[in-house]
């Protein structure tokens, strides 16, 4: 089945994106995107805002909105991201999970701030909360504040020097297990999609095992098209998707207009001979 232009993985200021939900929607209109999922990290505030605007006819209904979120979780010691699509935003288990994730991120922010102080840097927590402006606090907010304070020259340098894996202010988090996250998505009537599988820097043998576990725990689909992947990687993913009878999804993982190589609604060609998540989401 052929679908009109869509993007099923995007971020707004509700998490670590730079555009407000309304601004992202306006950009999608300009790019003639017909179906849009807002998938902010561990929050649904962005998509709720847009759906409310559509319901009140503040914005047009030209674009079909799909409710979503991108959940952080663990399979063993491996951090994974699972995109939830077409979820019931009023589901009690989902609401409980989102509150828990908000608490986890608050705790992580406090620990990161303390580690930066140990690096002889100023206490940045208050500034980070201002920068987040009520959104879910993530490491990019710390990176932006370190840039504002002229401690680093770029957000990339902030991660390379302080915030990245193995760096002085990196904090490990006991994210929920993959099984728990999939159960939450399922309970909310949604579709569980393993996000950007080739971005975890895993060997293909490890990635194959993760995909098998994802399927066995009730996962529904795999992102098979997103910026940065190549044809060889897509071919391998396609084989695993067909092997495990999973659906496919695609999206830009858009965060900011500053990344010229990641544009809203733009990603590699999507295979046409595999069941697509939109068949379920738009049913």
């Amino acid at each position: 089945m052929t679908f009109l232009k869509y993007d099923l993985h995007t971020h707004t200021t509700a998490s670590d994106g730079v555009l407000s939900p309304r601004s992202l929607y306006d950009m999608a209109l300009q790019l003639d995107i017909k179906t849009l999922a807002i998938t902010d990290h561990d929050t649904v505030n962005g998509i709720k805002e847009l759906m409310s605007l559509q319901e009140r006819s503040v914005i047009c209904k030209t674009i079909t909105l799909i409710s979503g979120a991108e959940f952080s979780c663990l399979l063993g010691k491996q951090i994974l991201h699972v995109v939830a699509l077409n979820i019931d935003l009023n589901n009690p288990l989902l609401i409980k999970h989102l509150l828990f994730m908000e608490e986890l991120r608050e705790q992580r922010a406090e620990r990161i701030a303390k580690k930066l102080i140990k690096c002889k840097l100023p206490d940045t927590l208050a500034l980070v909360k201002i920068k987040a402006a009520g959104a879910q606090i993530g490491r990019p907010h710390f990176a932006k504040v370190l840039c504002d304070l002229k401690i680093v020259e770029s957000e990339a340098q902030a991660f390379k020097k302080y915030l990245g894996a193995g760096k002085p202010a990196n904090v490990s988090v006991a994210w929920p297990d993959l099984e728990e996250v999939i159960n939450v998505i399922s309970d909310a009537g949604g579709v569980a999609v393993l996000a950007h599988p080739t971005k975890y820097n895993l060997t293909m043998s490890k990635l194959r095992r993760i995909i098998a576990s994802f399927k066995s725990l009730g996962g529904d689909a795999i992102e098979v098209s997103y910026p940065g992947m190549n044809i060889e990687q897509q071919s391998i993913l396609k084989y695993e998707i067909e092997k495990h009878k999973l659906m496919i999804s695609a999206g830009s993982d858009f965060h900011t207009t500053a990344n010229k190589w990641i544009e809203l609604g733009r990603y590699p060609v999507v295979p046409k001979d595999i069941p697509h998540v939109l068949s379920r989401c738009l049913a």
Side-chain angles (χ1 to χ4, degrees):
M1 184 181 293
T2 301
F3 299 99
L4 298 175
K5 191 174 182 181
Y6 62 87
D7 197 327
L8 302 180
H9 190 160
T10 68
H11 298 273
T12 73
T13 49
S15 61
D16 59 347
V18 300
L19 297 182
S20 68
R22 175 66 183 271
S23 295
L24 185 69
Y25 188 88
D26 289 343
M27 178 181 284
L29 281 173
Q30 293 173 7
L31 295 171
D32 200 32
I33 291 172
K34 299 303 183 183
T35 303
L36 179 68
I38 305 297
T39 56
D40 282 308
H41 293 283
D42 301 312
T43 180
V44 295
N45 289 341
I47 187 62
K48 285 177 71 174
E49 179 180 329
L50 281 182
M51 287 184 161
S52 175
L53 291 174
Q54 271 197 345
E55 288 172 5
R56 292 184 285 121
S57 298
V58 176
I59 58 176
C60 67
K61 297 182 180 180
T62 304
I63 297 175
T64 298
L65 293 174
I66 294 179
S67 57
E70 183 175 5
F71 291 120
S72 303
C73 58
L74 290 171
L75 180 60
K77 295 182 179 180
Q78 177 63 48
I79 297 174
L80 298 173
H81 288 174
V82 176
V83 167
L85 295 174
N86 213 36
I87 46 178
D88 174 7
L89 300 180
N90 296 313
N91 176 268
L93 187 60
L94 174 67
I95 292 170
K96 181 180 178 181
H97 183 78
L98 291 170
L99 289 172
F100 175 70
M101 296 304 289
E102 183 177 356
E103 183 180 342
L104 267 187
R105 286 182 171 273
E106 286 278 354
Q107 292 172 356
R108 180 177 72 164
E110 292 172 1
R111 291 168 61 199
I112 291 173
K114 288 178 180 178
K115 285 201 170 190
L116 288 172
I117 291 172
K118 288 183 178 180
C119 295
K120 302 189 183 305
L121 300 184
D123 187 349
T124 56
L125 187 57
L127 293 174
V128 165
K129 288 183 177 181
I130 293 172
K131 181 68 69 175
Q136 288 281 42
I137 296 176
R139 289 180 300 169
H141 294 116
F142 278 93
K144 288 180 172 66
V145 167
L146 293 180
C147 286
D148 292 344
L149 296 174
K150 309 299 182 184
I151 293 170
V152 295
E153 294 180 357
S154 66
E155 292 179 38
Q157 188 182 48
F159 275 87
K160 187 175 181 180
K161 191 171 183 180
Y162 297 107
L163 302 168
K167 302 306 176 181
N170 182 59
V171 170
S172 59
V173 182
W175 300 115
D177 290 337
L178 172 62
E179 183 176 12
E180 179 182 343
V181 167
I182 291 176
N183 287 340
V184 169
I185 296 170
S186 176
D187 195 77
V191 179
V193 183
L194 181 62
H196 42 63
T198 61
K199 290 187 177 181
Y200 300 115
N201 295 322
L202 299 170
T203 63
M204 274 302 168
S205 59
K206 288 182 179 179
L207 183 54
R208 288 187 181 97
R209 289 196 293 271
I210 284 175
I211 291 173
S213 296
F214 178 75
K215 170 64 177 182
S216 68
L217 293 173
D220 300 299
I222 306 284
E223 281 187 350
V224 73
S225 182
Y226 44 88
M229 74 177 316
N230 58 46
I231 295 176
E232 182 183 0
Q233 290 171 327
Q234 191 180 68
S235 296
I236 293 171
L237 286 177
K238 182 181 175 183
Y239 175 83
E240 294 299 316
I241 288 166
E242 291 179 318
K243 174 183 175 182
H244 294 288
K245 295 181 172 56
L246 291 159
M247 294 181 288
I248 59 173
S249 186
S252 64
D253 197 6
F254 177 85
H255 284 76
T256 172
T257 53
N259 292 344
K260 300 302 181 183
W261 57 94
I262 297 179
E263 300 178 14
L264 187 66
R266 186 173 180 180
Y267 39 80
V269 175
V270 180
K272 295 182 179 180
D273 53 346
I274 306 176
H276 199 294
V277 291
L278 282 178
S279 296
R280 184 181 299 182
C281 293
L282 298 178

